[in-house]
Amino acid sequence: MKTEGLLAQRMLKVKSSAIRELLKHSKMENVISLAGGIPSDALFDFEGLSIATQQAITEQAKSAFQYGLTEGSYLLRERICALCSERGVIAKPEDVLVTAGSQQALDLVMRAVVNPGDVFVVERPTYLAALQTLELAEANVMSVSSDSDGMVVDELAELLKTQKIKGVYVVPNFGNPTGLTLSTARREQLVKLAAEHNFLIMEDDPYGELRFTEERNATLYQVSQQILGHTDNVIYTSTFSKILAPGLRLGWAILPPFLLHKIAIIKQAADLHASSLSQSIAECYLGLNRLPAQIEKIRAAYKQKCDILAGLVEKELGDVISFDMPKGGMFLWARFRQPFNATEWLKTTLNEGVVFVPGEYFFSDKPDHSTFRLSFATATEQQMQEAVARLRRAL
Amino acid sequence: MKTEGLLAQRMLKVKSSAIRELLKHSKMENVISLAGGIPSDALFDFEGLSIATQQAITEQAKSAFQYGLTEGSYLLRERICALCSERGVIAKPEDVLVTAGSQQALDLVMRAVVNPGDVFVVERPTYLAALQTLELAEANVMSVSSDSDGMVVDELAELLKTQKIKGVYVVPNFGNPTGLTLSTARREQLVKLAAEHNFLIMEDDPYGELRFTEERNATLYQVSQQILGHTDNVIYTSTFSKILAPGLRLGWAILPPFLLHKIAIIKQAADLHASSLSQSIAECYLGLNRLPAQIEKIRAAYKQKCDILAGLVEKELGDVISFDMPKGGMFLWARFRQPFNATEWLKTTLNEGVVFVPGEYFFSDKPDHSTFRLSFATATEQQMQEAVARLRRAL
């Protein structure tokens, strides 16, 4: 078709998510999926969501179905601020932009700050769809490695000696795909570097509430406030997807004022505003005060699921596979003890009826082919038992 | 703040929508607004929306609150195809991308096809937020004039003699701001030019159903199919915002396959997918078969409102102001008979307690300062009477 020549240059190298293609397999009959990063709908608070929806379409029907503010409903932003303050993120409603999931916050920020060729630094491995937003913004993506304390900030400091960078993307709590957490010392180091070298920190925190322990790490936003007295370099983003319902497509970003104003302009051109109905429902749901109990329920369930999967992997596959025990989130990041190609292995495991995500897709460069990601969020105990038995057979 | 220097180049010249700033006035007490382009919530089918919402959260609760396909729910896409076929737009569900309003379709398409500096042609005047998406994509926006038959396609043909263009953005039915409709002859001419010179036509059709007569113009998509036997050069986009409820943030685009695949990748990075809940509700609503009656109701009401406003303007302001009578849509586009600055005049009318949108904001270049846009969608008859009396006093 002649019109194919009309695509913009930037689209020629953009590829579809490998995971997305992969997940088509997960819909096949008799295939157990440990692949998807989706929350378990068995844990959704359908009752609370129903009450909130009823409220939204009766008490707030006019605003729920009408156009709204680009920045988001003011009351929702107030309630988001209350939620954030429990995480040590102290912000005003005027600092909040309501987005279509935190995914949109990533995309909007990249569009607002990245010139083609600007350097943005990510962890190796990192969240795949963040890489996609960077690719679309034509960023020069550079990576630093991560270990059991999260992103190796010393490597970033080394890089900064020779390289001007625009920003760093980091999931500090129970990251996707590694499940690992950035240590306190490294958080402080990262925040200081950002101020010193004037780059942005894109702090993506979808999983922070899904803690398996009572320990709560200070957000980078909070650390910045504490040690620098400002948060000029930090963008904090989070979402209702993992704690309430992803189908609402509702998240938020907390932004420095100069950026919020510009990003609101992009958001206006991008989709005018997030769904008014979703906003009304979230607003009403937060008003019901059911979220704290809901989060406790999810935390407990995911912790149990994680323990089960980790136990099974340890017992059945521990001779060939190692992993760091996650302290929260939805993922177990595994590694073959000997060099082994997990992408190749997937073909065998698919025949046995199990799908997972090979680790290589999460690396912007220097992929470690011996890694893979297992999600414990959606499978039942019985499914996990069967899945791990099948993985054993596939070895 | 030092971090302000981190903005991308493209953001330095991007401005907030003037209308958006203006609309702050429309919230002031005692000010009657003829400014906003928002549908009247007095005409919303709250009963039907409530039934559809109940269905969505009971019968489809799991999918309504869970992640979904980037392209959109398959059943919704089937129902959108049925809706489109009544408009002469014959497409398969695989050709449809569900978007967060048609605004998002514009933004996604521009991101997918516009290289910085590529020429995109618009009407003079045109929809403001389309200009914003072009600005963000760093397009070289060129314009051709419009008259009572819509975009002057002869001017485009003339431009094509010396200029390679990437695409044309056009609202062929009851456009915003002019309310005018592209003639059949010009539709054919435009479609032929697109194939001949291989450029894209972005056919934005939010208002097509809001016809005040029984006459229905063939869409550019349909014309292309009829006279060329293909639709390779046409992107058709429309929305549920004007016929159902804008707060759902739900629209769609019908795209050539090569473009749909690439745009789905951008959409995935942009926000993963449109609200699952909104999609379920639209799906259920369409299943109720209430939309045809709802559209009839809106058409009749807007026609009546248009007649009232046009009559008042003719009677009270006809000596100084002229306008073309719209055959559909939400807007009356007015022009002072003598040179006069409508933006300056707005300061006076605000003092009198009326707000409208000065025409200059809708021009990408060569603004006609003597024009302004009046919306008849939301004001009541009494408000329109009072508003026009105030406009008279402000002269």
Side-chain angles (χ1 to χ4, degrees):
Chain A
M1 199 185 294
K2 206 165 62 159
T3 38
E4 288 190 41
L6 296 176
L7 278 176
Q9 287 293 326
R10 78 182 70 86
M11 298 311 296
L12 302 182
K13 54 186 176 181
V14 169
K15 293 183 304 292
S16 179
S17 154
I19 297 187
R20 194 155 167 271
E21 300 304 313
L22 199 63
L23 288 181
K24 290 178 183 166
H25 296 297
S26 68
K27 307 263 178 187
M28 292 188 321
E29 223 176 328
N30 299 323
V31 170
I32 301 173
S33 176
L34 302 176
I38 68 174
S40 170
D41 52 34
L43 295 167
F44 287 179
D45 178 10
F46 287 114
E47 186 187 77
L49 284 165
S50 175
I51 296 169
T53 305
Q54 301 295 347
Q55 270 188 16
I57 68 169
T58 50
E59 295 165 26
Q60 312 187 355
K62 281 197 180 184
S63 57
F65 290 116
Q66 186 56 283
Y67 285 119
L69 292 175
T70 298
E71 291 83 353
S73 132
Y74 197 83
L75 179 56
L76 177 60
R77 284 183 283 152
E78 283 183 329
R79 290 185 171 167
I80 286 171
C81 287
L83 192 64
C84 281
S85 76
E86 292 164 28
R87 305 181 186 180
V89 174
I90 310 300
K92 304 183 300 296
E94 287 75 13
D95 303 326
V96 179
L97 181 76
V98 177
T99 56
S102 51
Q103 183 65 41
Q104 188 183 42
L106 303 187
D107 188 48
L108 294 175
V109 168
M110 297 317 167
R111 292 178 79 178
V113 304
V114 175
N115 293 307
D118 278 357
V119 173
F120 226 93
V121 177
V122 300
E123 295 167 88
R124 202 169 55 236
T126 192
Y127 173 49
L128 188 74
L131 290 176
Q132 285 182 301
T133 64
L134 287 165
E135 203 170 60
L136 280 171
E138 300 177 82
N140 178 5
V141 179
M142 293 191 171
S143 68
V144 296
S145 57
S146 59
D147 60 22
S148 54
D149 278 342
M151 174 183 271
V152 179
V153 182
D154 276 344
E155 279 187 32
L156 177 68
E158 196 57 35
L159 183 64
L160 281 162
K161 286 180 183 165
T162 59
Q163 185 64 58
K164 176 73 191 153
I165 72 165
K166 181 57 74 85
V168 170
Y169 170 79
V170 61
V171 186
N173 299 315
F174 329 125
N176 178 359
T178 65
L180 294 172
T181 294
L182 192 64
S183 70
T184 305
R186 288 188 185 175
R187 286 176 196 237
E188 291 176 4
Q189 188 189 3
L190 178 57
V191 161
K192 282 179 192 161
L193 281 175
E196 190 184 335
H197 295 270
N198 197 32
F199 61 81
L200 292 168
I201 298 174
M202 181 82 218
E203 177 177 27
D204 189 8
D205 189 26
Y207 308 109
E209 294 294 323
L210 311 181
R211 291 170 289 130
F212 301 158
T213 68
E214 290 314 305
E215 187 189 353
R216 187 196 275 279
N217 290 287
T219 58
L220 292 163
Y221 188 94
Q222 187 178 7
V223 171
S224 180
Q225 188 63 54
Q226 282 166 352
I227 67 179
L228 301 174
H230 70 77
T231 55
D232 295 353
N233 296 74
V234 185
I235 298 156
Y236 177 86
T237 182
S238 189
T239 176
F240 288 107
S241 294
K242 310 301 189 275
I243 54 176
L244 186 57
L248 297 174
R249 305 307 306 124
L250 217 54
W252 66 90
I254 296 181
L255 297 148
F258 82 97
L259 203 50
L260 191 137
H261 177 68
K262 291 290 183 184
I263 287 183
I265 297 174
I266 308 181
K267 173 134 178 85
Q268 198 184 8
D271 63 3
L272 300 183
H273 58 80
S275 159
S276 307
L277 179 61
S278 291
Q279 292 187 67
S280 285
I281 293 171
E283 195 175 295
C284 292
Y285 188 87
L286 292 174
L288 296 173
N289 208 22
R290 292 170 73 110
L291 190 63
Q294 175 60 14
I295 288 173
E296 287 309 308
K297 181 177 151 193
I298 297 171
R299 281 175 63 188
Y302 284 1
K303 180 180 188 313
Q304 191 186 21
K305 281 162 169 287
C306 179
D307 286 345
I308 292 168
L309 185 63
L312 288 164
V313 171
E314 178 66 41
K315 183 169 162 233
E316 302 291 335
L317 305 164
D319 52 337
V320 287
I321 285 163
S322 70
F323 60 88
D324 281 311
M325 190 69 187
K327 290 180 182 160
M330 296 163 56
F331 306 110
L332 198 83
W333 181 245
R335 179 183 284 103
F336 281 95
R337 293 181 187 278
Q338 304 295 331
F340 196 80
N341 189 311
T343 308
E344 286 299 311
W345 189 46
L346 179 62
K347 294 175 190 164
T348 319
T349 70
L350 266 172
N351 282 337
E352 291 289 342
V354 193
V355 60
F356 59 81
V357 184
E360 62 169 296
Y361 300 120
F362 300 99
F363 290 81
S364 64
D365 58 354
K366 304 179 199 160
D368 181 347
H369 293 282
S370 70
T371 55
F372 59 100
R373 188 191 79 177
L374 301 176
S375 165
F376 47 80
T378 46
T380 62
E381 176 165 3
Q382 201 187 348
Q383 285 171 326
M384 289 196 275
Q385 279 171 349
E386 180 58 30
V388 172
R390 290 178 185 181
L391 287 178
R392 178 81 246 180
R393 284 205 296 275
L395 277 174
Chain B
M1 197 185 294
K2 206 164 62 159
T3 38
E4 288 191 39
L6 296 176
L7 278 176
Q9 287 293 326
R10 78 182 70 85
M11 298 311 297
L12 303 182
K13 53 185 177 180
V14 169
K15 293 183 302 292
S16 178
S17 154
I19 296 187
R20 195 156 167 269
E21 300 304 312
L22 198 64
L23 288 181
K24 291 179 182 165
H25 296 297
S26 69
K27 307 264 178 185
M28 292 188 320
E29 222 176 328
N30 298 324
V31 169
I32 301 174
S33 176
L34 301 176
I38 69 173
S40 169
D41 52 34
L43 295 167
F44 287 178
D45 178 10
F46 286 114
E47 186 187 79
L49 285 165
S50 174
I51 296 168
T53 305
Q54 301 295 347
Q55 272 187 15
I57 68 170
T58 50
E59 295 164 26
Q60 313 186 354
K62 281 197 179 184
S63 57
F65 290 115
Q66 186 55 283
Y67 285 120
L69 292 175
T70 297
E71 291 85 352
S73 133
Y74 196 83
L75 179 56
L76 177 60
R77 284 183 285 152
E78 283 183 329
R79 290 186 172 168
I80 285 171
C81 287
L83 191 65
C84 281
S85 76
E86 293 164 28
R87 304 181 187 181
V89 174
I90 310 300
K92 304 183 301 294
E94 288 74 14
D95 303 325
V96 180
L97 180 78
V98 177
T99 56
S102 51
Q103 183 66 41
Q104 188 183 41
L106 304 186
D107 188 48
L108 293 175
V109 168
M110 298 315 168
R111 292 178 79 177
V113 304
V114 175
N115 292 307
D118 279 357
V119 173
F120 226 93
V121 177
V122 300
E123 295 167 89
R124 201 169 57 237
T126 192
Y127 173 49
L128 188 74
L131 291 176
Q132 284 182 302
T133 65
L134 287 165
E135 203 170 60
L136 279 171
E138 300 177 82
N140 177 5
V141 179
M142 293 191 172
S143 67
V144 296
S145 57
S146 59
D147 59 23
S148 54
D149 278 341
M151 173 182 272
V152 179
V153 182
D154 276 344
E155 279 187 31
L156 178 68
E158 196 56 36
L159 183 65
L160 281 161
K161 287 180 183 164
T162 57
Q163 184 65 59
K164 177 73 190 154
I165 72 165
K166 181 57 74 85
V168 170
Y169 170 79
V170 62
V171 186
N173 299 317
F174 329 125
N176 178 358
T178 64
L180 293 172
T181 293
L182 192 63
S183 71
T184 304
R186 287 188 184 174
R187 285 176 196 236
E188 291 177 4
Q189 188 188 4
L190 178 57
V191 160
K192 282 179 192 162
L193 281 175
E196 191 184 335
H197 295 271
N198 197 33
F199 61 81
L200 292 169
I201 298 173
M202 181 83 218
E203 178 177 27
D204 189 8
D205 189 27
Y207 308 109
E209 294 294 322
L210 310 181
R211 291 171 289 130
F212 301 158
T213 68
E214 289 315 304
E215 188 189 351
R216 186 195 274 281
N217 290 288
T219 58
L220 293 164
Y221 189 94
Q222 187 177 7
V223 171
S224 180
Q225 188 62 54
Q226 283 166 353
I227 67 179
L228 301 175
H230 69 76
T231 54
D232 295 354
N233 296 75
V234 185
I235 299 156
Y236 176 86
T237 183
S238 189
T239 176
F240 288 107
S241 293
K242 309 302 189 274
I243 55 176
L244 186 57
L248 296 174
R249 303 309 306 122
L250 216 54
W252 66 90
I254 296 182
L255 296 149
F258 83 97
L259 203 49
L260 191 137
H261 177 68
K262 291 290 183 184
I263 286 183
I265 298 174
I266 308 181
K267 174 137 178 79
Q268 199 183 7
D271 63 3
L272 301 182
H273 58 80
S275 158
S276 308
L277 180 61
S278 291
Q279 291 187 68
S280 286
I281 293 171
E283 197 175 294
C284 292
Y285 188 87
L286 292 174
L288 296 174
N289 208 23
R290 293 170 72 111
L291 190 63
Q294 175 60 14
I295 289 173
E296 287 309 309
K297 181 176 151 194
I298 297 171
R299 281 175 63 187
Y302 284 1
K303 179 180 188 314
Q304 191 186 21
K305 281 162 168 285
C306 179
D307 286 344
I308 292 167
L309 185 63
L312 287 164
V313 170
E314 178 67 40
K315 183 169 163 235
E316 302 291 335
L317 305 164
D319 52 336
V320 287
I321 286 163
S322 70
F323 59 89
D324 282 311
M325 190 68 187
K327 291 181 182 159
M330 295 163 56
F331 306 110
L332 197 85
W333 181 244
R335 179 183 284 105
F336 280 95
R337 294 180 186 277
Q338 304 295 330
F340 195 80
N341 189 311
T343 308
E344 286 298 312
W345 188 46
L346 179 63
K347 294 176 191 163
T348 319
T349 71
L350 266 172
N351 282 338
E352 291 289 342
V354 193
V355 60
F356 59 81
V357 184
E360 63 169 296
Y361 299 120
F362 300 99
F363 290 81
S364 64
D365 58 353
K366 304 179 199 159
D368 181 348
H369 293 282
S370 70
T371 56
F372 58 100
R373 189 191 78 178
L374 301 176
S375 164
F376 47 78
T378 45
T380 62
E381 177 166 4
Q382 202 187 348
Q383 285 171 327
M384 289 197 274
Q385 278 172 349
E386 179 58 28
V388 172
R390 290 178 186 181
L391 287 177
R392 178 82 245 177
R393 284 205 297 275
L395 278 174

